[in-house]
Amino acid sequence: MRKPISILIGITSITSSAHSVGDLYYNSSLKDTTVLEELEVTAVKTGDRLTVTSPVQELSALNFLTRGVTDISDAMRRLPGVTLRDYGGAGGMKTISVRGLGSQHTGVSYDGIPMSDVQSGQIDLSQFSLDNLSSITLNVGDADEIFTPARTNSMASSLNVKSIGIDDFSKRTPSLTLKLKGGSFGLINPSLKFSLNNRKNLGMNIVGDFNSADNGYGYKLKNGNQVTREHRKNSGIKSGNAGWNGIWKLSSLSTLNANLHTNISYQHLPGPVIYYNTDNNEVLHKTNLFGQLSYNFQPNKIWMLEAKAKYDFARTHYTDVKSIYPGGVLDRKYLQQEEYFTASAFYRPLSGLSLSYATDYWHNSLSSPTIESPYRNSWLNSISAKWNYRKLTAIFRGLFSLIYDSQKNETQKSHIFRFSPSISISFKPLDSELWSLRGSFKRIMRMPTFNELYYEHYGTINLNPENTTQFNIGTTWRKYTDGVLRSIELKGDGYYNIVSNKIVAVPYNLFLWTMTNLGKVEALGADCSMNIDFALGSQWSLIYNLGYSYQRAATKSEKGAVEWNKQIPYTPLNSGSTSLTLMNPWVNLVLHSVGCSSRYSTTANVPSTRIGGYAEFGLSLFREFTLRNIRLEARGDIANIFDKTYEIVARYPMPGRSFSISLAFHLN
């Protein structure tokens, strides 16, 4: 599996480095468009990212275009240290694991307010459309921003999904963006964004998209020496997203923000590939609706206060038609609800010292035919301090967690109280160089999910939380010149993670499995990236980016066991992403690739469970035109150019070569 990785690193590049320096020069071929204003903001943030105390990676809407990112799963694969589980196709479930910790250890926030799936602990990222997002930010450990809800500090890593914000009040209003995308496997994807403000203190926008695809892509099925060409069946999807965002500047000191978001999907589940048996009749209908409100008050430069509230409703309806079920149909309905409240205060007593306190409470409930109505009450309190002194920045946090679990019949109850500390430091050794060093430590716990606790013939009520300890050291170096090599940025981080009390499934007998705290995982790895920008002329530039990750995540549960010191499932030792972007006055070109080494679907790491490595290559072309107050954006993509057959999840083949074309109209 060394060959695909060497090809991957040797070709062209894209990385998930926070605000690639190449973004600073995107205006070289689009000088007269409104993108120039966005570039100026990005340049400011690039400087701020130099001295962060913990690893942070960001992809903006501009990056989605200039780096050839096609969808949410493609965006996740561009982030070093991230392992993606993708079940294939436009509607396949997509979850991420960061640095070998597991998907339940990564929190997902929407516009700064955490999302939840207390049933499985995994947020399906396929519900997000890139057309409705302004950025995706991944923080490993704690973010440098201390004025945040306590819940955002309760995860080993956090992914913040930011929606398209309200237009600046100084801009012309109203504005409208219409986009139509079509492509292989029956893909039809229209989307819109409408913004309106009174140029004073009120603003709103409406975003929405619809996605339809049959996902009947081809793949190669190997059975010994025999290779046949098959097509995915029962794989179609129809889904829609709609959102409303509003802002009201109550005064020069206070602001009120509101968000409403809904996602509805109806999809056929193709199931795993079984030799010469492609029939499957599983259907999943999901409805998710949440509304959130945020109030911010800043009376002076010393104090800031913020309060947020959210209600989340998620309904899942699963059906499977098979003769083995009574009546020939298995019908299951699951309903999750959450009420969430948070309040925080920020205080700056000295010019170099900042303090923050946050208290969060939320209530989760689940209605299920296989689980007897469990519910969870969570109360978190966090205290944070940030100290800046000359070249040094240090952040200290303490998180107090109180969790109460029960069921409707009140026969089972449990209480958990835990204190979780963290510290992170950055240091800038030289005034003459854009160079910084960083180090961080964090200890946190993960509560068992409702499935792990209560699921019929599977859950175990007396499970303890998983405990995670994280260590990280890293550095960033950046250089700007006036020559052909305009800028270069190098980033590297090494880490060591320990997960104890790991929750694993063990067989009770031949037919019954149960959950227990038997596991321990240790992960040792490194993430690095390189970003280079070349000036080829007044309107020509070449942007080269490279990202690479090494992850050695091994089970340490029982010495002498078959699984001892074996790589955990679906975690490759080597992974990377690359791209080469040519900006010019005619048609901008992006060559990109992602890939990883082989993995295993079980902890035993036996040959029969080995999943081969892969390297997938793609090509993107895009161009913008300005006609008076109308801006047109045309884009074409070819994914998996060499029609590589590969799997990310065992027995779920990924799509082969595909094409897509999109055209967007921006009316300002």
Side-chain angles (χ1 to χ4, degrees):
M1 191 43 232
R2 295 179 180 175
K3 185 176 179 181
I5 293 299
S6 62
I7 294 176
L8 173 66
I9 297 177
I11 306 286
T12 54
S13 73
I14 230 177
T15 83
S16 50
S17 164
H19 295 287
S20 166
V21 289
D23 296 344
L24 301 176
Y25 303 102
Y26 173 57
N27 60 313
S28 62
S29 62
L30 301 172
K31 289 184 176 180
D32 299 326
T33 71
T34 56
V35 177
L36 182 58
E37 298 179 13
E38 184 175 355
L39 291 172
E40 294 174 354
V41 174
T42 303
V44 173
K45 288 187 177 181
T46 299
D48 294 339
R49 297 295 191 191
L50 181 67
T51 57
V52 292
T53 60
S54 297
V56 58
Q57 306 168 51
E58 184 167 348
L59 289 174
S60 66
L62 182 62
N63 298 144
F64 301 155
L65 180 65
T66 60
R67 301 184 180 186
V69 177
T70 55
D71 56 27
I72 191 72
S73 63
D74 190 25
M76 292 298 100
R77 289 194 290 176
R78 308 297 181 93
L79 305 181
V82 172
T83 301
L84 174 75
R85 286 201 185 186
D86 190 335
Y87 291 80
M93 184 176 182
K94 297 164 178 58
T95 62
I96 61 170
S97 171
V98 178
R99 294 184 170 184
L101 295 175
S103 58
Q104 292 95 342
H105 287 275
T106 301
V108 179
S109 298
Y110 184 86
D111 285 344
I113 299 182
M115 302 182 67
S116 174
D117 189 320
V118 73
Q119 180 181 1
S120 67
Q122 303 179 94
I123 301 297
D124 184 4
L125 299 178
S126 67
Q127 64 182 288
F128 298 114
S129 170
L130 292 185
D131 293 331
N132 298 335
L133 303 181
S134 64
S135 67
I136 298 173
T137 305
L138 177 67
N139 291 282
V140 180
D142 287 326
D144 272 32
E145 174 59 59
I146 65 171
F147 188 43
T148 58
R151 193 174 179 181
T152 61
N153 304 323
S154 66
M155 307 297 290
S157 60
S158 59
L159 180 71
N160 187 29
V161 178
K162 188 176 181 181
S163 66
I164 296 175
I166 308 301
D167 288 345
D168 191 293
F169 288 124
S170 64
K171 292 183 179 180
R172 185 187 308 175
T173 184
S175 65
L176 176 67
T177 297
L178 298 173
K179 184 176 181 180
L180 179 61
K181 181 178 180 180
S184 302
F185 318 130
L187 174 64
I188 300 176
N189 180 207
S191 63
L192 68 86
K193 171 198 169 187
F194 174 73
S195 299
L196 182 67
N197 66 66
N198 65 356
R199 306 189 72 171
K200 292 182 180 179
N201 63 344
L202 289 173
M204 59 157 282
N205 70 28
I206 298 173
V207 295
D209 74 276
F210 173 76
N211 184 34
S212 176
D214 58 42
N215 288 321
Y217 53 86
Y219 63 94
K220 294 178 183 178
L221 179 62
K222 295 182 180 180
N223 184 10
N225 295 326
Q226 185 177 5
V227 179
T228 60
R229 187 74 177 181
E230 308 289 341
H231 284 81
R232 287 300 254 165
K233 297 181 180 180
N234 196 60
S235 188
I237 181 174
K238 295 183 185 299
S239 66
N241 289 279
W244 175 87
N245 306 298
I247 182 172
W248 181 16
K249 291 187 176 180
L250 302 172
S251 68
S252 59
L253 307 177
S254 59
T255 304
L256 186 67
N257 289 272
N259 305 85
L260 289 173
H261 181 85
T262 183
N263 171 264
I264 300 175
S265 65
Y266 181 84
Q267 59 191 108
H268 296 264
L269 306 179
V273 171
I274 301 174
Y275 292 132
Y276 314 117
N277 182 11
T278 58
D279 292 334
N280 200 64
N281 297 296
E282 297 173 280
V283 175
L284 188 66
H285 185 191
K286 297 189 295 184
T287 302
N288 179 256
L289 171 68
F290 65 82
Q292 53 194 44
L293 196 64
S294 175
Y295 173 74
N296 182 278
F297 177 62
Q298 185 175 358
N300 50 51
K301 295 182 179 180
I302 298 177
W303 281 97
M304 280 195 296
L305 303 173
E306 189 170 61
K308 299 179 180 180
K310 175 186 175 184
Y311 172 73
D312 195 326
F313 170 94
R315 180 181 182 272
T316 303
H317 185 191
Y318 169 85
T319 59
D320 185 17
V321 179
K322 283 183 181 178
S323 59
I324 61 174
Y325 303 123
V329 178
L330 176 66
D331 191 288
R332 292 286 186 265
K333 295 179 181 178
Y334 304 89
L335 176 63
Q336 295 188 65
Q337 297 184 79
E338 177 179 287
E339 300 83 30
Y340 172 73
F341 307 92
T342 177
S344 53
F346 177 87
Y347 176 54
R348 186 183 290 114
L350 303 172
S351 60
L353 179 63
S354 302
L355 305 174
S356 178
Y357 168 74
T359 181
D360 293 24
Y361 167 78
W362 66 95
H363 173 79
N364 296 102
S365 61
L366 173 66
S367 174
S368 163
T370 57
I371 300 176
E372 192 170 349
S373 302
Y375 62 87
R376 173 173 293 170
N377 291 287
S378 306
W379 184 31
L380 270 60
N381 292 270
S382 70
I383 301 174
S384 306
K386 185 174 184 179
W387 180 48
N388 292 285
Y389 180 73
R390 295 182 180 178
K391 302 175 182 180
L392 180 69
T393 300
I395 300 176
F396 307 89
R397 280 189 174 91
L399 178 68
F400 301 85
S401 305
L402 177 60
I403 314 295
Y404 172 84
D405 280 3
S406 188
Q407 290 180 273
K408 188 176 181 180
N409 59 15
E410 301 290 341
T411 58
Q412 298 286 352
K413 299 179 182 179
S414 65
H415 301 266
I416 298 291
F417 176 77
R418 192 69 52 87
F419 170 70
S420 304
S422 67
I423 180 173
S424 55
I425 299 173
S426 71
F427 179 68
K428 191 173 181 293
L430 303 173
D431 290 331
S432 59
E433 292 289 336
L434 297 175
W435 175 42
S436 68
L437 303 171
R438 58 180 167 269
S440 59
F441 159 81
K442 182 173 185 177
R443 181 170 291 160
I444 205 69
M445 73 169 181
R446 177 187 79 83
M447 286 295 297
T449 66
F450 280 176
N451 280 351
E452 292 168 335
L453 289 169
Y454 307 111
Y455 198 78
E456 184 181 24
H457 304 308
Y458 180 81
T460 304
I461 191 64
N462 58 352
L463 287 175
N464 294 317
E466 292 183 352
N467 299 313
T468 302
T469 304
Q470 301 168 263
F471 300 91
N472 184 91
I473 57 172
T475 184
T476 298
W477 178 79
R478 191 177 297 135
K479 183 74 172 180
Y480 299 100
T481 72
D482 295 328
V484 175
L485 178 61
R486 288 192 291 202
S487 61
I488 180 171
E489 180 187 66
L490 301 176
K491 294 177 61 178
D493 286 275
Y495 60 88
Y496 176 59
N497 299 332
I498 305 172
V499 181
S500 58
N501 270 348
K502 184 73 175 176
I503 299 173
V504 296
V506 297
Y508 180 76
N509 56 39
L510 186 61
F511 304 101
L512 182 63
W513 290 62
T514 185
M515 306 302 295
T516 187
N517 292 105
L518 285 181
K520 181 181 180 181
V521 172
E522 295 183 6
L524 182 68
D527 301 330
C528 58
S529 63
M530 177 172 62
N531 310 293
I532 307 177
D533 189 285
F534 299 94
L536 305 181
S538 60
Q539 294 186 336
W540 290 73
S541 64
L542 192 66
I543 307 169
Y544 177 82
N545 303 296
L546 171 67
Y548 169 76
S549 293
Y550 171 82
Q551 295 185 65
R552 179 69 175 100
T555 56
K556 302 285 186 175
S557 302
E558 183 181 352
K559 195 169 184 177
V562 176
E563 297 84 2
W564 172 259
N565 208 31
K566 298 293 181 64
Q567 189 82 347
I568 63 175
Y570 296 108
T571 302
L573 279 175
N574 303 282
S575 60
S577 60
T578 63
S579 81
L580 184 68
T581 305
L582 177 64
M583 308 297 297
N584 62 83
W586 295 296
V587 177
N588 302 297
L589 173 69
V590 185
L591 297 171
H592 54 87
S593 178
V594 295
C596 70
S597 59
S598 59
R599 299 134 290 141
Y600 292 89
S601 61
T602 66
T603 53
N605 287 192
V606 296
S608 61
T609 65
R610 180 180 179 273
I611 305 172
Y614 69 90
E616 179 190 318
F617 299 85
L619 170 67
S620 295
L621 304 169
F622 67 93
R623 172 70 191 274
E624 289 196 354
F625 311 85
T626 301
L627 302 174
R628 295 184 180 180
N629 64 333
I630 300 177
R631 182 162 55 93
L632 303 178
E633 176 189 303
R635 173 174 172 174
D637 290 276
I638 305 176
N640 199 353
I641 292 177
F642 301 110
D643 202 24
K644 171 73 174 178
T645 297
Y646 68 96
E647 297 174 350
I648 294 180
V649 176
R651 297 185 179 275
Y652 285 84
M654 295 294 291
R657 185 188 302 112
S658 62
F659 307 86
S660 65
I661 298 175
S662 64
L663 183 63
F665 301 84
H666 305 274
L667 308 176
N668 297 309

